[in-house]
Amino acid sequence: MPMPPAALRLAVTAVALLLTATTGAGAAASAAVPPRTAPARVAVDTPDPAAWSAPLSTRGRYIVDAHGDRFRLKGANWDGAQGSWTGSGSATDPANHHAGQDSHGIPLGLDRVPLTRLLADFHQLGINTIRLPFSNEMIHSTAPVPDGAVAANPQLRGRTPLEVYDAVVEALSQSGFAVVLNNHTNTSRWCCGIDGNERWNSGQSTARWADDWVFMARRYASVPRVVGADLYNEVRRDVLDDPNWGLGDDHDWYGAARLAADRILTEANPRLLIVIEGINWTGVPVDGLPHGRPVLTPARTLSHTLVDARKLVYSAHFYGYTGPRHSGATGIGETHDARYQDLSRAELAAALDDEAFFVEETGRHYTAPVWVSEFGIGSGETNTAARTWFGHVTDYFADHDADFAFWPLVGFEGHDDWALLRYDTAGHRSGILDPGDWRATAWQRLMSAPGTTGPVASVPLWRMLSTDHGDAVTSPRVRATGDWDPGAYKAACPDGTRLAGLSHTGGRGLCTDAGAGELRAADARQTVVTDERYVPGGGDWASGYTKYQCPAGEFLIGYSLRGERVSAALCVPARTALPGAGRTVWFDRSDNRPADGAGGDFAGGAFKGQCAGTEYAAGIAFTTRVGSRPGPAALLCRPLP
């Protein structure tokens, strides 16, 4: 979300760091979560319901609907339920809320405009998706919102913030909008500096955060057009510590996102897209000290594999006043790094590619749609560089057929000129739909630019397995069989894919469905191989090495390790007869991967072996010789049927 124009938020970060100050994170209320009551029914004008059908999933870089047709997220952020208090002064004084707008912890505008008219105005913008922020504190709040907060919607009087959120979600779905739930903050306080909302577990445990997500996903599981869970907003540094991507500690955003995604898809609502933002900020914003915006760059070397491999969407935020290494601050906390608005069109495109849109490259372990779920600028902006940036960035989104969501959708007239739609106290509307809003030209170009529509062809899926800090069993079918190698770190490919590659060290694997689609038979059988009993006489394909080979007619979908040493191979039967002849792919002394590089580098810094896209893996070989590394050293690769 945009920062206040004066004393920008990350300036506070720099001051706090330089003075070695500390800050307290506000804890969410501990009251029991109220059950979902029947939401207030709102009569809405619904567009053609055949235009798209939930649930959504992914095919390569595209999001598709239930029919396999492209569904481009053309959205905006309807904020307010995440909180608006700036953290100083009385929370009852609107002057102490962002832009003088007290949201009362519910979506903005319900005090001024009937919900039906708000939705009609949203449709006029041409958007199809609403990113709907909320706070963990909102979930647990039991106090009804003031009557004045819903003055234009009296049917919502006496309801808690969560119950108002329920009604909004229901109305949006009825009206044909795709709704993406967004955990924006922990506390109901305006984000995003040193404010107690820096990480998903600021002021609360990761377990409680994941519990809240399971609750929210279950709560709206029956609302048909709730299509996504945006796990956390703008993960960033607090006073003393950076978030990280894969270290396995309490600040590991990669691991926390995987945990929450797992729980949502297995315990709450398997229909949802899982939206994972990159890391918004690390380091100290002072010249000469390390700092910058990692965004999605860590996914190049460590990407997410979910229990449903076609539910992952990566997300990034871009504003003109920030930059690849610029916090967005002015004055204290400002460095001499370029802001995005200081970059030429070509330089901006290169930065966007490097920080986010590389993810859409076809045929990589990290391939996924990228949703720019926040970008924006004010209608009162007079800075030429900022205005030019807005034209450049919307052109980029248009030319790249990108998914996007503007920040924000609704604001108060005379308070927040960033909003696409602003309403005065009498409910009169102004904004980007009116003549004179300079943003309209760029907005209309973005909204009307041609893009991929209709059926999206299936593409081969490539996904990484990582046992860096624990199990990576991404197959619900395998999970249902229990712990197949107690005490070992286990990895299993997502259902519908097979094991295609392994690293000699580091415990990484690569899965794919290339060339075969679903290869596994329908039954639940699986074979855990811990010795050489399935190596036929005269079939020594790795002389002098221990070989864990699948039985005839089966193929590899997983493996386990004890330390570096191979502990077991996991095999399952094929739905059709499998060829028996094969070749040995050695990778204990160098990489041995197909020349086309399919799947990408799934284990940076380690030797890797990989079967071709026209092959399946039928065995793993390793050595226990003293002085040798006991990790996987060779794969038995055989042609697909």
Side-chain angles (χ1 to χ4, degrees):
M1 62 172 66
M3 292 185 275
L8 293 172
R9 294 166 298 170
L10 276 164
V12 180
T13 307
V15 172
L17 287 160
L18 292 171
L19 298 178
T20 325
T22 60
T23 186
S30 58
V33 175
R36 182 173 181 231
T37 57
R41 303 298 292 185
V42 179
V44 293
D45 294 327
T46 306
D48 179 8
W52 68 281
S53 299
L56 303 182
S57 57
T58 67
R59 289 185 181 175
R61 62 139 295 186
Y62 295 112
I63 296 169
V64 298
D65 72 1
H67 300 301
D69 293 333
R70 168 79 185 287
F71 185 83
R72 185 183 182 192
L73 302 183
K74 300 169 76 170
N77 288 265
W78 190 4
D79 79 301
Q82 84 284 359
S84 56
W85 181 54
T86 57
S88 62
S90 171
T92 62
D93 183 350
N96 298 323
H97 290 255
H98 171 69
Q101 304 174 143
D102 186 351
S103 73
H104 298 284
I106 60 176
L108 280 165
L110 298 175
D111 58 335
R112 302 178 174 215
V113 190
L115 188 49
T116 51
R117 187 152 67 84
L118 283 168
L119 300 184
D121 289 349
F122 298 171
H123 282 300
Q124 277 193 260
L125 289 170
I127 59 177
N128 60 18
T129 302
I130 302 295
R131 183 176 182 247
L132 198 63
F134 68 87
S135 72
N136 298 89
E137 185 174 346
M138 181 207 78
I139 298 173
H140 298 275
S141 175
T142 57
V145 300
D147 287 353
V150 291
N153 292 273
Q155 76 278 13
L156 300 178
R157 288 177 181 168
R159 294 179 180 255
T160 66
L162 179 58
E163 290 167 342
V164 173
Y165 193 90
D166 291 342
V168 168
V169 168
E170 186 77 26
L172 286 167
S173 178
Q174 289 179 49
S175 193
F177 289 103
V179 180
V180 178
L181 311 174
N182 164 234
N183 185 198
H184 209 80
T185 51
N186 301 320
T187 66
S188 291
R189 176 179 169 184
W190 184 257
C191 138
C192 292
I194 299 297
D195 51 29
N197 295 306
E198 298 84 8
R199 289 190 297 275
W200 64 97
N201 58 354
S202 295
Q204 64 181 357
S205 68
T206 296
R208 176 169 176 171
W209 171 71
D211 286 344
D212 280 353
W213 255 122
V214 170
F215 167 80
M216 290 293 277
R218 284 176 177 166
R219 191 172 185 87
Y220 304 112
S222 63
V223 182
R225 295 184 190 269
V226 173
V227 299
D230 185 343
L231 297 182
Y232 202 70
N233 184 73
E234 296 187 6
V235 173
R236 59 197 180 279
R237 180 186 185 88
D238 63 12
V239 174
L240 297 176
D241 296 298
D242 284 327
N244 67 79
W245 189 281
L247 294 185
D249 59 14
D250 287 343
H251 296 168
D252 180 2
W253 172 230
Y254 169 85
R258 190 169 75 168
L259 168 69
D262 239 15
R263 293 196 58 195
I264 290 167
L265 293 174
T266 59
E267 300 177 32
N269 187 353
R271 301 168 69 251
L272 294 180
L273 294 174
I274 301 297
V275 181
I276 301 177
E277 275 190 46
I279 294 175
N280 194 61
W281 183 260
T282 58
V284 184
V286 174
D287 289 331
L289 295 178
H291 59 269
R293 301 183 68 234
V295 196
L296 293 173
T297 53
R300 278 194 177 94
T301 52
L302 182 59
S303 59
H304 288 83
T305 298
L306 308 183
V307 292
D308 185 335
R310 291 177 173 82
K311 290 293 186 180
L312 172 65
V313 174
Y314 278 124
S315 178
H317 294 177
F318 293 103
Y319 289 105
Y321 56 78
T322 61
R325 288 170 42 82
H326 201 299
S327 69
T330 56
I332 297 173
E334 183 174 11
T335 60
H336 288 84
D337 304 297
R339 301 174 190 262
Y340 291 115
Q341 66 194 34
D342 298 326
L343 304 180
S344 69
R345 179 185 289 267
E347 290 168 337
L348 176 63
L352 295 174
D353 288 342
D354 179 63
E355 295 169 33
F357 283 91
F358 74 89
V359 168
E360 294 188 336
E361 183 181 359
T362 300
R364 298 292 180 258
H365 61 82
Y366 48 73
T367 301
V370 172
W371 185 29
V372 180
S373 56
E374 284 189 30
F375 77 105
I377 197 167
S379 62
E381 180 63 69
T382 58
N383 182 292
T384 301
R387 284 190 172 210
T388 300
W389 165 83
F390 188 67
H392 287 169
V393 80
T394 50
D395 283 351
Y396 181 97
F397 297 161
D399 295 342
H400 285 72
D401 197 9
D403 299 87
F404 60 87
F406 190 95
W407 181 282
L409 175 56
V410 175
F412 296 171
E413 179 60 38
H415 290 261
D416 188 355
D417 74 324
W418 280 59
L420 290 173
L421 303 173
R422 301 185 301 277
Y423 298 90
D424 65 16
T425 54
H428 299 134
R429 188 195 74 201
S430 60
I432 203 165
L433 294 174
D434 301 327
D437 191 317
W438 70 269
R439 304 172 298 174
T441 300
W443 176 257
Q444 288 303 322
R445 153 119 164 87
L446 175 58
M447 295 298 293
S448 61
T452 297
T453 59
V456 175
S458 295
V459 294
L461 184 71
W462 300 91
R463 285 293 180 258
M464 169 192 287
L465 297 176
S466 169
T467 60
D468 292 5
H469 304 291
D471 289 351
V473 179
T474 59
S475 161
R477 293 181 68 178
V478 172
R479 290 185 180 194
T481 66
D483 190 342
W484 49 275
D485 192 1
Y489 278 3
K490 296 167 286 294
C493 291
D495 291 336
T497 67
R498 65 188 186 277
L499 191 66
L502 286 171
S503 64
H504 181 51
T505 57
R508 298 285 174 86
L510 182 67
C511 306
T512 191
D513 63 356
E518 174 62 84
L519 186 60
R520 184 175 178 178
D523 63 65
R525 287 179 297 137
Q526 62 185 36
T527 305
V528 180
V529 180
T530 58
D531 56 34
E532 294 190 338
R533 71 183 64 190
Y534 299 112
V535 180
D540 188 350
W541 50 273
S543 180
Y545 283 68
T546 302
K547 293 164 286 293
Y548 289 171
Q549 183 172 334
C550 294
E554 299 192 12
F555 62 96
L556 278 169
I557 63 164
Y559 57 95
S560 57
L561 303 168
R562 295 178 188 273
E564 288 190 3
R565 180 175 174 172
V566 178
S567 179
L570 183 65
C571 307
V572 294
R575 57 180 168 77
T576 188
L578 294 175
R583 66 188 180 102
T584 303
V585 174
W586 290 98
F587 52 95
D588 54 342
R589 293 178 176 83
S590 64
D591 277 5
N592 192 350
R593 300 176 57 232
D596 61 8
D601 189 345
F602 61 92
F607 295 150
K608 295 164 288 293
Q610 183 178 329
C611 299
T614 55
E615 296 176 317
Y616 70 94
I620 306 169
F622 62 99
T623 183
T624 56
R625 291 194 301 264
V626 174
S628 297
R629 305 294 287 266
L635 283 170
L636 175 60
C637 299
R638 290 173 167 171
L640 289 167

